[in-house]
Amino acid sequence: IMSIEAESGLRVLGINILGRFLLSRDNNIRYVALSTLQQVVSVDMKAVQRHRATIIDCLKDADISIKKRALDVAYALVNEENIKSMTKELLNYLLVVELSFKEDLCSRLCLVVERYSPNRRWQIDTLIKVMCLGGNHVKDEQREKFCRVVASTPDLHSYTVIKLYFNMKESISQEALVHVGIWCLGEFGDHLVSGRAVGPDDQPIQVRPTELLDLMQDIVKKP
């Protein structure tokens, strides 16, 4: 069905059969289903989208080849309409995924957020979440892109420096978070100490310079 130019109804039937294959206990059947779905996403994304929940479930599979193929299909399914829900699913997966998988997942998350983000604030929020959860696996290139996004969005300088400062206060264990956080504090830290920054409740936030220095010292001392 997938290799011939079949009418759309027949193709949807084939995709639905592949969706049922994903429920099989046989790893070979699920692998074939995921591989074929990946090939057909560009032809009929809407029909494949109906099986999104089952595809996401395959990310939790014990078999590494199933997980890799499921991630490929999930990545191919992301678009402007589902970017928020798909990103939420992938962030939840980032919480539990094995270390060997984190770098690839972080890279794909950063790419889809860059490509389909509905606005700059959501983009910055989501990338900070990625760095909070998998900051030791975010590549230098993605860190640099984040800094360029922040630098080119003056109306979010205060917002971003607040988020990064308080996230670093909670944890300095994630390298990418600390990396971009230090850069942001160096560029826009004056927003924090001057009281120009405003919190979620629209109340001004002012951080004492000594608090910033204490955070920097904690980072320097970190082994």
Side-chain angles (χ1 to χ4, degrees):
I1 291 173
M2 299 306 169
S3 62
I4 62 173
E5 293 184 9
E7 60 183 39
S8 61
L10 186 58
R11 188 172 58 246
V12 170
L13 174 63
I15 291 170
N16 289 342
I17 291 169
L18 290 171
R20 288 199 291 276
F21 281 1
L22 294 178
L23 301 173
S24 170
R25 293 184 179 181
D26 188 307
N27 283 359
N28 291 325
I29 290 176
R30 280 183 293 158
Y31 186 85
V32 168
L34 288 166
S35 297
T36 312
L37 286 171
Q38 185 185 4
Q39 295 169 18
V40 82
V41 165
S42 59
V43 179
D44 198 333
M45 180 179 280
K46 188 176 179 181
V48 181
Q49 287 278 7
R50 297 193 188 104
H51 304 282
R52 196 170 73 200
T54 314
I55 293 164
I56 295 293
D57 277 343
C58 290
L59 290 172
K60 303 166 190 171
D61 198 275
D63 188 307
I64 191 76
S65 61
I66 297 291
K67 280 195 282 199
K68 281 185 177 178
R69 189 60 69 198
L71 185 59
D72 290 338
V73 181
Y75 178 67
L77 284 175
V78 181
N79 58 28
E80 292 91 345
E81 294 177 7
N82 63 25
I83 178 66
K84 289 187 176 181
S85 59
M86 285 294 286
T87 302
K88 185 178 179 181
E89 293 278 8
L90 293 173
L91 282 170
N92 287 337
Y93 180 49
L94 184 57
L95 278 168
V96 299
V97 70
E98 299 94 329
L99 286 175
S100 59
F101 239 76
K102 285 200 171 187
E103 184 174 311
D104 189 26
L105 182 54
C106 286
S107 293
R108 292 184 189 233
L109 271 165
C110 291
L111 285 171
V112 295
V113 167
E114 179 186 356
R115 186 175 299 169
Y116 300 115
S117 175
N119 57 67
R120 279 292 174 88
R121 179 162 170 164
W122 184 88
Q123 183 177 0
I124 289 170
D125 280 343
T126 306
L127 291 174
I128 290 175
K129 285 177 188 173
V130 172
M131 289 185 282
C132 285
L133 297 175
N136 292 326
H137 306 276
V138 175
K139 294 178 181 177
D140 288 347
E141 179 188 354
Q142 300 299 339
R143 302 176 197 186
E144 292 167 13
K145 283 184 178 180
F146 174 86
C147 292
R148 286 201 294 270
V149 168
V150 175
S152 63
T153 318
D155 56 323
L156 291 176
H157 287 170
S158 290
Y159 176 81
T160 306
V161 78
I162 290 171
K163 288 210 72 165
L164 287 170
Y165 171 72
F166 284 106
N167 275 295
M168 282 197 294
K169 286 270 285 183
E170 283 187 24
S171 172
I172 56 171
S173 63
Q174 299 293 342
E175 185 184 284
L177 179 69
V178 172
H179 189 172
V180 303
I182 289 174
W183 173 83
C184 204
L185 286 173
E187 294 291 323
F188 314 117
D190 57 306
H191 288 263
L192 284 172
V193 297
S194 67
R196 281 185 283 157
V198 177
D201 54 0
D202 292 328
Q203 295 299 311
I205 290 176
Q206 187 163 4
V207 177
R208 295 192 304 275
T210 52
E211 292 178 278
L212 287 180
L213 291 173
D214 287 344
L215 177 60
M216 294 299 106
Q217 280 206 333
D218 288 344
I219 291 168
V220 170
K221 290 177 183 175
K222 183 180 177 294

